[in-house]
Each structure stands twice: as C-alpha cells, then as structure tokens.
Amino acid sequence: RILSLLLLCGMLFLGVTQGFSSNAAVGTVTSYRQITWGLSSGLYAVNGIPAFCSEYLKDCPTVGTQIISIEECDNSVIRKALYYGYNGPGNVLGMNEEAFILTSIAISNANIGEANTGVKEKYDVFYWDIVNYPEKYIEPPEHFKAYLAHPFKASMQRLAFYILEERGYVEVVK
C-alpha cells in the first residue's frame, strides 16, 4: 500500500513538474460522497486522494470520470483552505459536515471568485476569514502542495486536493 502511494505521488510529481501534454487520462475520480450542511457538496477522491469541488456552478464529476490533467495550484487561499480546513494537516475546523462545507465553499470561492449560493451567517467563521482575510493564516509549508485536477469535460468542475510531501532522512550505517 505504501509502495503504491509512493508510485502515485511520483507519477503526480512528474506529471505536474513536466506538464501533461496529451488528452490521455492521468487519473480517475475514484470515489464520491455527498455531504450536506445547509448546502451540499461532494467529497471526491482523485486516484484515491481526497478532493473537493472547486467550481460550484459546473457539473459534478462522477466515479470513473477521467482526469486529463493535473496542475499545481499556487492560489494562496486555496492552499490555506486545504491546509487549515477539513482533513488538512493544519485542520482548525474538525472533521464534521460543517467543516467540510466551509472548506469546500472557501475553495470554490477562491477558485472562481464569486460568492456561492446558500452562504449565510453560520458559514462566516472560517469561510469569511479564509476568503476575505487570508493574512490571518500563515502560508502552508513549501512541502504542502495543492493541485487542481481537470476532468475530460470542460463542463465539469475541477477538483482540488493536496499532497503533503513529508520530509525526512535516512541514515545509512556500515
């Protein structure tokens, strides 16, 4: 299992750093679960890695949808929402439906630059801060990489996910 994760990370790294230049699939939407808290969003997985929708107004990809490209995302708000939000390494929200929806709408808003329908006062705590006052949150570390996965149809929303490239060392003793 660890070997397959390392291979996947290597493939994503090579694809992102060298660019994907063909329409051949580089990934697949491997799972989907609808989560509702005031409004609904999907918790996806791209090649087994948890992912969020990033364009609320577009169609939702379904399980089996081919991903034709993956690009590294340097949008500071998206990186912070992934890092400090639901399931992120710096999670300040928890792991419930509320945390998921707050993270999801922050990512979508940061990506497409518009308010999402259904955003009410109860969403303001994290969502409002991360989108309107991102300077309150320090930048995630360099080894935290955010990505946008592009489905084969332009009418489908891109999916945001992260990979935390753990740093460490190995000491060899002879």
Side-chain angles (χ1 to χ4, degrees):
R1 184 166 174 105
I2 291 175
L3 180 59
S4 63
L5 182 60
L6 289 172
L7 288 171
L8 173 63
C9 290
M11 287 172 27
L12 285 172
F13 176 76
L14 287 174
V16 169
T17 58
Q18 296 177 7
F20 295 108
S21 59
S22 73
N23 283 340
V26 297
T28 305
V29 175
T30 54
S31 71
Y32 167 81
R33 180 170 61 105
Q34 183 176 346
I35 296 178
T36 302
W37 185 76
L39 47 97
S40 295
S41 186
L43 175 58
Y44 298 89
V46 174
N47 297 340
I49 300 170
F52 296 85
C53 65
S54 70
E55 298 170 293
Y56 262 92
L57 302 177
K58 290 190 174 185
D59 296 334
C60 297
T62 56
V63 173
T65 297
Q66 292 184 338
I67 302 300
I68 60 166
S69 68
I70 297 173
E71 66 175 301
E72 187 169 351
C73 177
D74 61 0
N75 179 310
S76 177
V77 176
I78 292 175
R79 292 184 76 242
K80 288 177 180 181
L82 287 167
Y83 188 82
Y84 293 108
Y86 180 89
N87 201 39
N91 186 337
V92 296
L93 295 177
M95 293 294 291
N96 57 22
E97 289 83 5
E98 175 184 4
F100 175 81
I101 294 296
L102 291 173
T103 303
S104 186
I105 62 175
I107 290 168
S108 188
N109 189 302
N111 188 42
I112 59 178
E114 61 183 61
N116 297 291
T117 59
V119 177
K120 300 175 184 156
E121 284 183 32
K122 66 181 177 181
Y123 297 108
D124 285 351
V125 178
F126 176 74
Y127 167 77
W128 185 259
D129 275 356
I130 203 77
V131 171
N132 294 300
Y133 304 105
E135 65 276 1
K136 287 185 174 183
Y137 299 86
I138 62 171
E139 284 294 330
E142 283 186 34
H143 62 279
F144 177 85
K145 305 293 184 184
Y147 297 97
L148 291 176
H150 298 258
F152 76 99
K153 286 185 180 178
S155 63
M156 292 182 173
Q157 39 186 310
R158 294 176 290 172
L159 301 176
F161 65 94
Y162 74 87
I163 294 176
L164 186 61
E165 298 172 350
E166 292 293 340
R167 304 275 168 114
Y169 65 93
V170 175
E171 183 178 338
V172 178
V173 179
K174 184 174 179 181

